[in-house]
Every structure is written in structure tokens, then in C-alpha cells.
Amino acid sequence: MRRIKGYPDNFYPILLFVVLAVLVSGLLLIPAMLEFKLDILIDWQLPRDLRVPVLFLHAATGWIISMLIGALWQAHMRNNWRRAKHRLTGTVNAITFLLLGASALGLYYAGSIETQVSSAIVHTLCGLLLIPIFTLHGLLRR
């Protein structure tokens, strides 16, 4: 398994596992978001008894990702910015994660329905954008 220079051996596999968990749980929640926030019915829905556990998994892994990004900031992001390595994909990753965090707060704490709907749309689009940009960033390392 690959390593991120300056981090423990298990950091990269943990990062990938958490990113995969937040991605899969987020994808599973999209039909419910479309129904409850945008009034769009989708044929497939996550079974009702799984919605809360999947939502909890998504929220918990989202907070864990925030901590992992903080750890990445300490060496990986700062060092590679100074060395001008993968600045474009790294910057887009960082901005996308920042927008995901801000829109998650909007989902949790927004008082108006309009802000919640906007937050849901931004959050979903950023999550979908993260798939190719995070993958590309990782592939550029090779």
C-alpha cells in the first residue's frame, strides 16, 4: 500500500477507507435528498430502517475527514504547495472539502428551507465533484 511521506504507514489506507465510506454513504443518501429537499421521486430509495444509520455513518465519516484534512494540512499540503507539486488538483480538493464542510453546516443548522435546499445541492454537487478530482490527485502522485 502506498504511503504519504511524513505520515504513519497506516495513514493512507485509513484516508482511503474514510473517503470511500463517506462517498458510498453519500451516494446512498442522494435519493432521499432528492425526495425531501427537491420533491423529486426516485424509483429506488434506501430502506427506511437504514436511512438513519447511513446518515450517521455519513456525518461521522465527514467529521473524521475534517480531522484527516487537518493532519494533511500540517505537512502534505504545505510542503507540496511550497514545492509547486499538484497545486491545481490539490487546491480544487481543498476548496471542495471546504465547501462540503460549509454546506454540511448549512444542512445541519440553516433556519430557512431555501438555505437548506441550497446547501443540499451544493453539498451533493461538491461530493460528486470530489470523485474525479480526488482520484486524479492521487493518480498524479504516481
Side-chain angles (χ1 to χ4, degrees):
M1 179 64 61
R2 292 174 40 207
R3 291 188 71 225
I4 298 178
K5 188 175 180 181
Y7 291 86
D9 289 343
N10 60 354
F11 186 85
Y12 188 68
I14 290 170
L15 177 65
L16 289 183
F17 176 78
V18 173
V19 166
L20 188 61
V22 78
L23 170 67
V24 170
S25 60
L27 290 173
L28 289 172
L29 292 168
I30 288 176
M33 183 278 298
L34 291 172
E35 180 182 348
F36 295 118
K37 299 293 184 192
L38 303 177
D39 293 324
I40 299 172
L41 293 177
I42 303 294
D43 288 339
W44 183 85
Q45 286 281 340
L46 195 62
R48 289 192 192 281
D49 58 334
L50 290 179
R51 284 185 192 165
V52 171
V54 171
L55 186 59
F56 175 80
L57 173 67
H58 190 68
T61 52
W63 288 109
I64 293 169
I65 282 204
S66 297
M67 290 185 280
L68 293 173
I69 291 171
L72 285 171
W73 171 257
Q74 291 301 309
H76 175 76
M77 294 165 82
R78 290 173 34 195
N79 289 340
N80 287 323
W81 183 264
R82 275 184 286 219
R83 295 180 1 205
K85 293 184 77 178
H86 313 301
R87 280 188 179 174
L88 179 61
T89 58
T91 300
V92 173
N93 265 325
I95 290 170
T96 304
F97 276 116
L98 183 64
L99 287 171
L100 281 166
S103 59
L105 291 173
L107 287 168
Y108 284 119
Y109 300 114
S112 73
I113 298 297
E114 294 82 14
T115 306
Q116 286 186 4
V117 170
S118 299
S119 295
I121 292 168
V122 168
H123 195 76
T124 302
L125 292 176
C126 286
L128 293 172
L129 171 66
L130 200 57
I131 297 168
I133 200 69
F134 187 83
T135 303
L136 179 62
H137 188 70
L139 291 174
L140 286 176
R141 185 171 174 222
R142 296 179 182 187

